[in-house]
Coordinates of all heavy atoms in Angstrom, one line a residue:
M64 N 10.2 25.0 20.8 CA 11.0 24.3 19.8 C 10.9 25.0 18.4 O 9.8 25.3 18.0 CB 10.5 22.9 19.7 CG 11.2 22.0 18.6 SD 10.5 20.4 18.5 CE 9.2 20.6 17.4
D65 N 12.1 25.3 17.8 CA 12.0 25.9 16.5 C 11.8 24.8 15.5 O 12.0 23.6 15.7 CB 13.2 26.7 16.2 CG 14.5 25.9 16.1 OD1 14.5 24.9 15.4 OD2 15.5 26.3 16.7
R66 N 11.4 25.2 14.3 CA 11.0 24.2 13.2 C 12.2 23.5 12.6 O 12.1 22.6 11.9 CB 10.2 24.9 12.2 CG 8.9 25.3 12.6 CD 8.1 26.0 11.5 NE 6.8 26.3 12.0 CZ 5.7 25.6 11.7 NH1 5.8 24.5 11.0 NH2 4.5 25.9 12.2
T67 N 13.5 24.0 12.9 CA 14.6 23.3 12.3 C 15.2 22.2 13.1 O 16.0 21.5 12.7 CB 15.7 24.4 12.1 OG1 16.1 24.9 13.4 CG2 15.3 25.5 11.1
S68 N 14.7 22.0 14.3 CA 15.3 21.0 15.2 C 14.2 19.9 15.4 O 13.0 20.1 15.3 CB 15.7 21.5 16.5 OG 14.6 22.0 17.2
A69 N 14.7 18.7 15.6 CA 13.8 17.5 15.9 C 13.3 17.6 17.3 O 13.9 18.2 18.2 CB 14.6 16.2 15.7
P70 N 12.1 17.1 17.5 CA 11.6 17.2 18.9 C 12.5 16.3 19.9 O 13.0 15.3 19.5 CB 10.2 16.5 18.8 CG 10.2 15.8 17.5 CD 11.2 16.4 16.6
G71 N 12.6 16.9 21.1 CA 13.4 16.1 22.0 C 12.6 15.0 22.7 O 11.4 14.9 22.5
P72 N 13.3 14.2 23.5 CA 12.7 13.1 24.1 C 11.4 13.5 25.0 O 10.4 12.8 25.0 CB 13.7 12.5 25.0 CG 15.0 13.1 24.6 CD 14.7 14.3 23.8
E73 N 11.5 14.7 25.6 CA 10.4 15.1 26.4 C 9.1 15.4 25.6 O 8.0 15.1 25.9 CB 10.7 16.3 27.3 CG 11.0 17.6 26.5 CD 12.4 17.6 25.8 OE1 13.3 16.8 26.2 OE2 12.5 18.5 24.9
R74 N 9.3 15.9 24.4 CA 8.2 16.2 23.4 C 7.6 14.8 22.9 O 6.4 14.7 22.8 CB 8.7 17.0 22.3 CG 7.7 17.5 21.4 CD 7.0 18.7 21.9 NE 6.2 19.2 20.9 CZ 4.9 19.4 21.0 NH1 4.3 19.1 22.2 NH2 4.1 19.9 20.1
L75 N 8.5 13.9 22.6 CA 8.0 12.6 22.2 C 7.2 11.9 23.3 O 6.2 11.2 23.1 CB 9.1 11.7 21.7 CG 9.9 12.2 20.5 CD1 11.1 11.4 20.1 CD2 8.9 12.3 19.3
E76 N 7.7 12.0 24.5 CA 7.0 11.4 25.7 C 5.6 12.1 25.9 O 4.7 11.4 26.1 CB 7.8 11.6 27.0 CG 7.3 10.9 28.1 CD 8.2 11.0 29.4 OE1 9.4 11.0 29.2 OE2 7.6 11.2 30.5
E77 N 5.5 13.4 25.6 CA 4.2 14.1 25.7 C 3.3 13.5 24.7 O 2.1 13.3 25.0 CB 4.4 15.6 25.5 CG 5.1 16.3 26.6 CD 5.3 17.8 26.1 OE1 4.7 18.3 25.2 OE2 6.2 18.4 26.7
A78 N 3.8 13.3 23.5 CA 2.9 12.7 22.4 C 2.4 11.3 22.8 O 1.3 11.0 22.6 CB 3.7 12.7 21.1
G79 N 3.3 10.5 23.3 CA 2.9 9.2 23.8 C 1.9 9.2 24.8 O 0.9 8.5 24.8
T80 N 2.0 10.1 25.8 CA 1.1 10.3 26.9 C -0.3 10.7 26.3 O -1.3 10.2 26.8 CB 1.6 11.3 27.9 OG1 2.9 10.9 28.4 CG2 0.7 11.4 29.1
A81 N -0.3 11.6 25.4 CA -1.5 12.1 24.8 C -2.3 10.9 24.1 O -3.5 10.8 24.2 CB -1.3 13.2 23.8
I82 N -1.5 10.1 23.4 CA -2.1 8.9 22.8 C -2.7 8.0 23.8 O -3.8 7.5 23.7 CB -1.1 8.2 21.9 CG1 -0.8 9.1 20.7 CG2 -1.7 6.8 21.4 CD1 0.3 8.6 19.8
E83 N -2.0 7.8 24.9 CA -2.4 6.9 26.0 C -3.7 7.5 26.6 O -4.6 6.7 27.1 CB -1.3 6.7 27.0 CG -0.2 5.9 26.6 CD 1.0 5.9 27.5 OE1 0.8 6.4 28.7 OE2 2.1 5.4 27.1
R84 N -3.8 8.8 26.7 CA -5.0 9.4 27.3 C -6.2 9.3 26.4 O -7.3 9.7 26.8 CB -4.7 10.9 27.6 CG -3.9 11.1 28.8 CD -3.9 12.6 29.2 NE -3.8 13.5 28.1 CZ -2.6 14.2 27.9 NH1 -1.6 14.1 28.7 NH2 -2.6 15.0 26.8
G85 N -6.0 8.9 25.2 CA -7.1 8.7 24.3 C -7.3 9.8 23.2 O -8.3 10.0 22.7
A86 N -6.2 10.6 23.0 CA -6.3 11.6 22.0 C -6.6 11.1 20.6 O -7.1 11.8 19.7 CB -4.9 12.4 21.9
M87 N -6.4 9.8 20.4 CA -6.7 9.1 19.1 C -8.0 8.5 19.1 O -8.4 7.8 18.1 CB -5.6 8.1 18.8 CG -4.2 8.6 18.6 SD -4.0 9.6 17.0 CE -4.2 8.2 15.9
R88 N -8.8 8.7 20.1 CA -10.1 8.0 20.1 C -11.1 8.4 19.0 O -12.0 7.7 18.7 CB -10.8 8.2 21.5 CG -11.2 9.7 21.7 CD -11.9 9.8 23.1 NE -12.1 11.2 23.4 CZ -11.3 12.0 24.0 NH1 -10.2 11.6 24.5 NH2 -11.7 13.3 24.2
H89 N -10.8 9.5 18.4 CA -11.7 9.9 17.3 C -11.2 9.4 15.9 O -11.8 9.8 14.9 CB -11.8 11.5 17.3 CG -12.4 12.0 18.5 ND1 -13.7 11.8 18.9 CD2 -11.9 12.7 19.5 CE1 -14.0 12.3 20.0 NE2 -12.9 12.9 20.4
A90 N -10.1 8.7 15.9 CA -9.6 8.2 14.6 C -10.6 7.2 14.0 O -11.1 6.3 14.7 CB -8.2 7.5 14.9
K91 N -10.8 7.3 12.8 CA -11.7 6.4 12.1 C -11.0 5.1 11.7 O -9.8 5.1 11.5 CB -12.2 7.1 10.8 CG -13.1 8.3 11.1 CD -13.5 8.9 9.8 CE -14.3 10.2 10.1 NZ -14.7 10.9 8.9
P92 N -11.7 4.0 11.7 CA -11.0 2.7 11.3 C -10.6 2.8 9.8 O -11.2 3.6 9.0 CB -12.1 1.7 11.5 CG -13.4 2.4 11.7 CD -13.1 3.8 12.0
L93 N -9.6 2.0 9.4 CA -9.2 2.0 8.1 C -10.3 1.4 7.2 O -11.1 0.5 7.6 CB -8.0 1.1 7.9 CG -6.7 1.6 8.5 CD1 -5.6 0.5 8.5 CD2 -6.2 2.8 7.8
P94 N -10.4 1.9 5.9 CA -11.3 1.3 5.0 C -11.1 -0.2 4.8 O -9.9 -0.6 4.7 CB -11.1 2.1 3.7 CG -10.4 3.4 4.1 CD -9.6 3.0 5.4
A95 N -12.1 -0.9 4.6 CA -12.0 -2.4 4.5 C -11.1 -2.7 3.3 O -10.4 -3.7 3.3 CB -13.4 -3.0 4.3
S96 N -11.2 -2.0 2.2 CA -10.3 -2.3 1.0 C -8.8 -2.2 1.4 O -8.1 -3.0 0.9 CB -10.7 -1.3 -0.1 OG -10.4 0.0 0.2
L97 N -8.5 -1.2 2.2 CA -7.0 -1.1 2.6 C -6.6 -2.3 3.5 O -5.5 -2.8 3.4 CB -6.8 0.2 3.3 CG -6.8 1.5 2.5 CD1 -6.5 2.7 3.3 CD2 -5.8 1.4 1.3
V98 N -7.5 -2.7 4.4 CA -7.2 -3.8 5.3 C -7.1 -5.1 4.4 O -6.1 -5.8 4.6 CB -8.3 -4.0 6.3 CG1 -8.1 -5.2 7.1 CG2 -8.4 -2.7 7.3
Q99 N -7.9 -5.3 3.5 CA -7.9 -6.4 2.6 C -6.6 -6.4 1.8 O -5.9 -7.5 1.7 CB -9.1 -6.5 1.7 CG -10.3 -6.8 2.4 CD -11.5 -6.7 1.4 OE1 -11.5 -6.0 0.4 NE2 -12.6 -7.4 1.8
R100 N -6.2 -5.3 1.3 CA -4.9 -5.2 0.5 C -3.7 -5.5 1.4 O -2.8 -6.2 1.0 CB -4.8 -3.9 -0.1 CG -5.7 -3.7 -1.3 CD -5.5 -2.3 -1.9 NE -6.7 -1.8 -2.5 CZ -6.9 -0.6 -2.8 NH1 -5.9 0.3 -2.7 NH2 -8.0 -0.2 -3.3
Y101 N -3.7 -5.0 2.6 CA -2.6 -5.2 3.5 C -2.6 -6.7 3.9 O -1.5 -7.3 3.8 CB -2.8 -4.4 4.8 CG -1.9 -4.9 5.9 CD1 -0.5 -4.7 5.9 CD2 -2.4 -5.7 7.0 CE1 0.3 -5.2 6.8 CE2 -1.5 -6.2 7.9 CZ -0.2 -5.9 7.9 OH 0.7 -6.4 8.8
Q102 N -3.7 -7.3 4.1 CA -3.7 -8.8 4.5 C -3.2 -9.6 3.3 O -2.5 -10.6 3.4 CB -5.1 -9.2 4.9 CG -5.5 -8.6 6.2 CD -7.0 -8.8 6.6 OE1 -7.8 -9.1 5.7 NE2 -7.3 -8.7 7.9
G103 N -3.6 -9.2 2.1 CA -3.1 -9.9 0.9 C -1.6 -9.7 0.7 O -0.9 -10.7 0.4
W104 N -1.1 -8.5 0.9 CA 0.4 -8.3 0.9 C 1.1 -9.1 1.9 O 2.1 -9.8 1.6 CB 0.7 -6.8 1.1 CG 2.1 -6.5 1.2 CD1 3.0 -6.3 0.2 CD2 2.9 -6.4 2.5 NE1 4.3 -6.1 0.8 CE2 4.2 -6.2 2.1 CE3 2.5 -6.5 3.8 CZ2 5.2 -6.0 3.1 CZ3 3.5 -6.4 4.8 CH2 4.8 -6.1 4.4
K105 N 0.5 -9.1 3.1 CA 1.2 -9.9 4.2 C 1.2 -11.4 3.9 O 2.2 -12.1 4.2 CB 0.5 -9.6 5.5 CG 1.2 -10.2 6.7 CD 0.5 -9.8 8.0 CE 1.1 -10.5 9.2 NZ 0.4 -10.3 10.4
A106 N 0.1 -11.9 3.3 CA 0.0 -13.3 3.0 C 0.9 -13.7 1.8 O 1.3 -14.9 1.7 CB -1.4 -13.7 2.7
T107 N 1.3 -12.8 0.9 CA 2.0 -13.1 -0.3 C 3.4 -12.5 -0.2 O 4.4 -13.2 0.2 CB 1.3 -12.6 -1.5 OG1 1.1 -11.2 -1.4 CG2 0.0 -13.4 -1.7
T108 N 3.6 -11.2 -0.5 CA 4.9 -10.6 -0.6 C 5.6 -10.7 0.7 O 6.8 -11.1 0.7 CB 4.7 -9.1 -1.0 OG1 4.0 -9.1 -2.2 CG2 6.0 -8.4 -1.2
F109 N 5.0 -10.4 1.8 CA 5.7 -10.5 3.1 C 6.1 -11.9 3.4 O 7.3 -12.1 3.8 CB 4.8 -9.9 4.2 CG 5.5 -10.0 5.6 CD1 6.4 -9.0 5.9 CD2 5.2 -11.0 6.5 CE1 7.1 -9.1 7.2 CE2 5.8 -11.1 7.7 CZ 6.8 -10.1 8.1
A110 N 5.2 -12.8 3.2 CA 5.5 -14.2 3.5 C 6.6 -14.8 2.6 O 7.5 -15.5 3.1 CB 4.2 -15.1 3.3
E111 N 6.7 -14.3 1.4 CA 7.7 -14.8 0.5 C 9.1 -14.2 0.8 O 10.1 -14.7 0.5 CB 7.4 -14.4 -1.0 CG 6.2 -15.2 -1.5 CD 5.6 -14.5 -2.8 OE1 6.2 -13.5 -3.3 OE2 4.6 -15.0 -3.2
N112 N 9.1 -13.1 1.5 CA 10.3 -12.3 1.8 C 10.5 -12.2 3.3 O 11.2 -11.3 3.8 CB 10.3 -11.0 1.2 CG 10.2 -11.0 -0.3 OD1 11.2 -11.5 -1.0 ND2 9.1 -10.6 -0.9
A113 N 9.9 -13.1 4.1 CA 10.0 -13.0 5.6 C 11.4 -13.0 6.1 O 11.7 -12.2 7.0 CB 9.2 -14.2 6.2
A114 N 12.3 -13.7 5.5 CA 13.7 -13.7 6.0 C 14.3 -12.3 5.8 O 15.1 -11.8 6.7 CB 14.5 -14.8 5.3
G115 N 14.1 -11.7 4.7 CA 14.6 -10.4 4.4 C 14.1 -9.4 5.4 O 14.8 -8.5 5.9
Y116 N 12.8 -9.4 5.6 CA 12.2 -8.5 6.6 C 12.7 -8.7 8.0 O 12.9 -7.8 8.7 CB 10.6 -8.5 6.5 CG 10.0 -8.0 5.3 CD1 9.4 -8.8 4.3 CD2 10.1 -6.6 5.0 CE1 8.8 -8.2 3.2 CE2 9.6 -6.0 3.8 CZ 9.0 -6.9 2.9 OH 8.4 -6.3 1.8
R117 N 12.8 -10.0 8.3 CA 13.4 -10.3 9.7 C 14.8 -9.7 9.8 O 15.2 -9.2 10.8 CB 13.4 -11.8 9.9 CG 13.7 -12.2 11.3 CD 13.5 -13.7 11.6 NE 12.2 -14.2 11.2 CZ 11.9 -14.9 10.1 NH1 12.8 -15.3 9.3 NH2 10.6 -15.3 9.9
H118 N 15.6 -9.9 8.7 CA 17.0 -9.4 8.8 C 17.0 -7.9 9.0 O 17.7 -7.3 9.8 CB 17.7 -9.7 7.4 CG 19.0 -9.1 7.3 ND1 20.1 -9.7 8.0 CD2 19.5 -8.1 6.6 CE1 21.2 -8.9 7.7 NE2 20.8 -8.0 6.9
L119 N 16.1 -7.2 8.3 CA 16.0 -5.7 8.4 C 15.6 -5.3 9.8 O 16.1 -4.4 10.4 CB 15.0 -5.1 7.4 CG 15.4 -5.1 6.0 CD1 14.2 -4.7 5.1 CD2 16.6 -4.3 5.7
A120 N 14.7 -6.1 10.4 CA 14.2 -5.8 11.8 C 15.3 -6.0 12.8 O 15.5 -5.2 13.7 CB 13.0 -6.6 12.1
V121 N 16.1 -7.1 12.6 CA 17.2 -7.4 13.6 C 18.4 -6.6 13.4 O 19.0 -6.0 14.3 CB 17.5 -8.9 13.5 CG1 18.7 -9.2 14.3 CG2 16.3 -9.7 13.9
E122 N 18.8 -6.5 12.1 CA 20.1 -5.8 11.8 C 19.9 -4.3 11.6 O 20.9 -3.5 11.6 CB 20.7 -6.4 10.6 CG 21.1 -7.9 10.7 CD 22.2 -8.1 11.8 OE1 23.1 -7.2 11.9 OE2 22.1 -9.1 12.5
G123 N 18.7 -3.8 11.3 CA 18.5 -2.4 11.0 C 18.8 -2.1 9.6 O 19.2 -3.0 8.8
Q124 N 18.7 -0.9 9.2 CA 19.0 -0.4 7.9 C 20.1 0.6 7.9 O 20.1 1.4 8.9 CB 17.7 0.1 7.2 CG 16.6 -0.9 7.1 CD 15.4 -0.3 6.5 OE1 15.5 0.4 5.5 NE2 14.2 -0.6 7.0
R125 N 20.9 0.7 6.9 CA 21.9 1.7 6.8 C 21.9 2.3 5.4 O 22.9 2.0 4.7 CB 23.3 1.1 7.2 CG 23.4 0.6 8.6 CD 24.6 -0.2 8.9 NE 24.5 -0.9 10.1 CZ 23.9 -2.0 10.4 NH1 23.2 -2.6 9.4 NH2 23.8 -2.6 11.6
P126 N 20.9 3.0 5.1 CA 20.8 3.5 3.7 C 21.9 4.6 3.5 O 22.3 5.3 4.4 CB 19.4 4.2 3.7 CG 19.1 4.5 5.1 CD 19.8 3.4 5.9
R127 N 22.4 4.5 2.3 CA 23.4 5.5 1.8 C 22.8 6.8 1.3 O 23.4 7.8 1.2 CB 24.3 4.9 0.8 CG 25.2 3.8 1.4 CD 26.0 3.1 0.3 NE 25.1 2.3 -0.5 CZ 25.4 1.7 -1.6 NH1 26.6 1.7 -2.1 NH2 24.5 0.9 -2.2
V128 N 21.5 6.7 0.9 CA 20.8 7.8 0.3 C 19.4 7.9 0.9 O 18.8 6.8 1.1 CB 20.7 7.6 -1.2 CG1 19.9 8.7 -1.9 CG2 22.1 7.5 -1.8
M129 N 18.9 9.1 1.1 CA 17.5 9.2 1.4 C 16.8 10.1 0.3 O 17.3 11.2 0.0 CB 17.3 10.0 2.7 CG 15.9 10.1 3.1 SD 15.6 10.9 4.8 CE 15.9 12.6 4.4
A130 N 15.8 9.5 -0.3 CA 15.1 10.3 -1.4 C 13.8 10.7 -0.8 O 13.0 9.9 -0.2 CB 14.8 9.3 -2.5
I131 N 13.5 12.0 -0.8 CA 12.3 12.6 -0.3 C 11.3 12.7 -1.6 O 11.7 13.4 -2.5 CB 12.5 13.9 0.4 CG1 13.4 13.7 1.6 CG2 11.1 14.5 0.8 CD1 13.8 14.9 2.3
C132 N 10.2 12.1 -1.5 CA 9.3 12.1 -2.7 C 7.9 12.5 -2.2 O 7.6 12.5 -1.1 CB 9.2 10.7 -3.3 SG 10.8 10.0 -3.8
C133 N 7.2 12.9 -3.2 CA 5.8 13.3 -2.9 C 4.9 12.1 -2.7 O 5.0 11.1 -3.4 CB 5.2 14.1 -4.1 SG 3.5 14.5 -4.0
C134 N 4.1 12.1 -1.6 CA 3.3 10.9 -1.3 C 2.3 10.7 -2.4 O 1.7 9.6 -2.5 CB 2.6 11.1 0.0 SG 1.4 12.5 0.1
D135 N 2.0 11.6 -3.3 CA 1.0 11.5 -4.3 C 1.7 11.2 -5.7 O 1.1 11.2 -6.7 CB 0.2 12.8 -4.4 CG -1.0 12.6 -5.4 OD1 -1.5 11.5 -5.5 OD2 -1.3 13.6 -6.1
S136 N 3.0 10.9 -5.6 CA 3.8 10.6 -6.8 C 3.3 9.4 -7.6 O 2.9 8.4 -7.0 CB 5.2 10.4 -6.5 OG 6.0 10.1 -7.6
R137 N 3.2 9.5 -8.8 CA 2.8 8.4 -9.7 C 4.0 7.5 -10.1 O 3.8 6.5 -10.7 CB 2.1 8.9 -11.0 CG 0.9 9.8 -10.8 CD -0.1 9.1 -9.9 NE -1.4 9.8 -9.9 CZ -1.8 10.7 -9.0 NH1 -0.9 11.1 -8.1 NH2 -2.9 11.3 -9.1
V138 N 5.2 7.9 -9.6 CA 6.4 7.1 -10.0 C 7.0 6.6 -8.7 O 7.3 7.4 -7.8 CB 7.4 7.9 -10.7 CG1 8.6 7.1 -11.0 CG2 6.8 8.5 -12.0
N139 N 7.2 5.3 -8.5 CA 7.8 4.7 -7.4 C 9.3 5.0 -7.4 O 10.0 4.7 -8.3 CB 7.5 3.2 -7.4 CG 8.1 2.5 -6.2 OD1 9.0 2.9 -5.6 ND2 7.4 1.4 -5.8
V140 N 9.8 5.6 -6.3 CA 11.2 5.9 -6.2 C 12.1 4.7 -6.4 O 13.1 4.8 -7.0 CB 11.5 6.7 -4.9 CG1 11.4 5.8 -3.7 CG2 12.8 7.4 -5.0
A141 N 11.7 3.6 -5.9 CA 12.5 2.4 -6.0 C 12.6 2.0 -7.5 O 13.7 1.6 -7.9 CB 11.9 1.2 -5.2
A142 N 11.5 2.2 -8.2 CA 11.6 1.9 -9.7 C 12.5 2.8 -10.4 O 13.2 2.4 -11.3 CB 10.2 1.9 -10.2
M143 N 12.5 4.1 -10.0 CA 13.4 5.1 -10.7 C 14.8 4.8 -10.5 O 15.6 5.0 -11.5 CB 13.1 6.5 -10.1 CG 11.9 7.2 -10.6 SD 11.8 8.9 -10.2 CE 12.3 9.1 -8.6
F144 N 15.2 4.2 -9.4 CA 16.6 4.0 -9.1 C 17.0 2.5 -9.2 O 18.1 2.1 -8.9 CB 17.0 4.5 -7.7 CG 16.9 6.0 -7.6 CD1 15.9 6.6 -6.9 CD2 17.8 6.8 -8.3 CE1 15.8 8.0 -6.8 CE2 17.8 8.2 -8.2 CZ 16.8 8.8 -7.5
G145 N 16.1 1.7 -9.6 CA 16.3 0.3 -9.7 C 16.6 -0.4 -8.4 O 17.5 -1.3 -8.3
A146 N 16.0 0.1 -7.4 CA 16.3 -0.5 -6.0 C 15.2 -1.4 -5.6 O 14.2 -1.5 -6.3 CB 16.3 0.7 -5.0
E147 N 15.4 -2.1 -4.5 CA 14.4 -3.1 -4.0 C 13.9 -2.5 -2.7 O 14.5 -1.9 -2.0 CB 15.0 -4.4 -3.7 CG 15.3 -5.1 -5.0 CD 15.8 -6.6 -4.7 OE1 15.4 -7.2 -3.7 OE2 16.6 -7.0 -5.5

């Protein structure tokens, strides 16, 4: 597979099989602080917007734009564009 093409279904199936075989067995658990933050988000923000998240899950998303940002960025892309 060259680097310009997406992996085909057979490659994705191989990855799934590797995970099932335990290739992820050496993964470390998430830090407790991240788990706590996630649980807090789920209990507040997610709960307050459950209908919106459900709509996205059922209807899917059809973005008109894709912004590629640095994962270490100090500026939230949604804030830059006034998006939700």
